[in-house]
Amino acid sequence: MNAPAAELTEHTSRRSGGRLGRKALRGAPITSFPTLVRKIPVYQMVPDEAVELIHEESLKILEEVGCEFRDDGAIELWKAAGADVKETRVRIDRALLMELVSKVPSEFTLNARNPERTVRVGGNNSIFVPMYGAPYVRDLDNNRRYGTLADLNNFHKMAYMAPALHSSSSVICEPMEIAVPKRHLHIIHSALKHSDKPFMGIVTSKERAEDTMAMAGIVFGEAFVRDNPVLVAITNCNSPLVWDATMIDAMRVYASHNQPLILAPFALCGASTSASAVGAVAQVNAEALAGVALTQLIRPGSPQVYGQFMVTVDMKTGAPMGGTPEAAQMMYLMGALARKYRLPWRTSGFHVGSKLNDAQAGYEANMLMHAAILSGANYIWHSAGWLEAGLTCGYSKFATDCEQLVGWYKYAGGLSFDDFKEAMAAIREVGPQGHFLGTQHTLEHFESAFFMPSIMDFNSYEQWNAEGAKDHDTRGREKARNMLADYEEPKLDEGIAEGLRDLIARREEKLPDTVS
């Protein structure tokens, strides 16, 4: 899929006239790319026999070792389904497991409050989603501090402004000044108010998941959200082999409303898995499949996302590492398994260990995004902002990632031969020792022919020096400021906006200020 020239260069890269130029551009509609339809082949790192070996070992783990489901309701569902249940340990026969997994649709539509932002997940479709869950931010002045609601608002605004981001996520950073029991209300309100793209749900308690669905019901209509996906929520298995009550509560709320969950073990490979990339994948696959299967006991046929978050740990310190070759290799294996099961699947794109938007961050990000794209991932999460193993969301990193996603979008969309005949005619027109700058073909295609980033600098040393000798991190913060300066809110209907405010006020009256 080749996006129009105006999309691929981004409107901010062509602005002129400073503040007045930005003001003139604010009246233009915000560019948003449609679902990325990958037109390049997936890459399978190992032969089919190796994929089958991992699959078989995963089934043996669930049949022989079993998985803990620490929730009475889940245990009753497994008993009724015929699984071998002893207290909270569930051993799942492979026939039962695969029958349940087969009920999950291979693709689904994820609806946005603006139908033009609605996307498809699964198959050859991919979407990019910002990061989630950072307690800290690296701000516009390059200071590391706790996140605030104002920061969260800003990141939702930037997600809305970024053409290649298909979702606003939700907890991009934690608004730390808001009491935890009430925080989820303001997180979801920010995502719904400041962007009209799809968003993500809250999973930290049953009540918070229910509040999320109530707010979605105000925006989309209660009848619509009973059956139609409008959000994606994340549930993590506690590796090794434990699905806890909090995650299962969230599963129950969202799956019963036909809202897709990411069933994703959170694996620190070498610590919560064996110190083996292949062994880790076999375990994580078992954990993910067990979670997927449970959703189908809750609501058969509900859309779900097979997932993983797998990083290696530094075996000297125990610290999680980001863009390592093993993390990329494990993505390729998980992608092959997802295709085997015909499941939409999630991985992460730009999750790095670097503390700054520096060369290390770039190397890590490239290692991981290449694997995410070539392994055929459908829901590519943590695609903007991630620093410091997820502890920090950086404004500069967010802006840089958003620009890089435009390039990845074009890369994965494949090569177009639409203008090949005209390009060949231009060669004949110019002949030897000429140049192509003034040809009709160049004039018609110069904007769309090549990716033209605005944060990366390709000028001469003299020009770069004359413009302040700014490093990439500085340029990224400038881009973030410009994105926020260009922002205009996609207004909610006033009745819907009032309904959200009223729900938040009523719930805040009932909720405590501290966690009991």
Side-chain angles (χ1 to χ4, degrees), residues 405-423:
L405 289 176
V406 177
W408 283 105
Y409 190 99
K410 188 169 187 179
Y411 177 88
L415 285 166
S416 171
F417 281 73
D418 290 349
D419 68 330
F420 188 60
K421 182 177 179 181
E422 291 83 357

Side-chain angles (χ1 to χ4, degrees), residues 32 109 256 391 396 478:
S32 185
T109 297
S256 64
L391 289 174
S396 177
E478 288 184 351

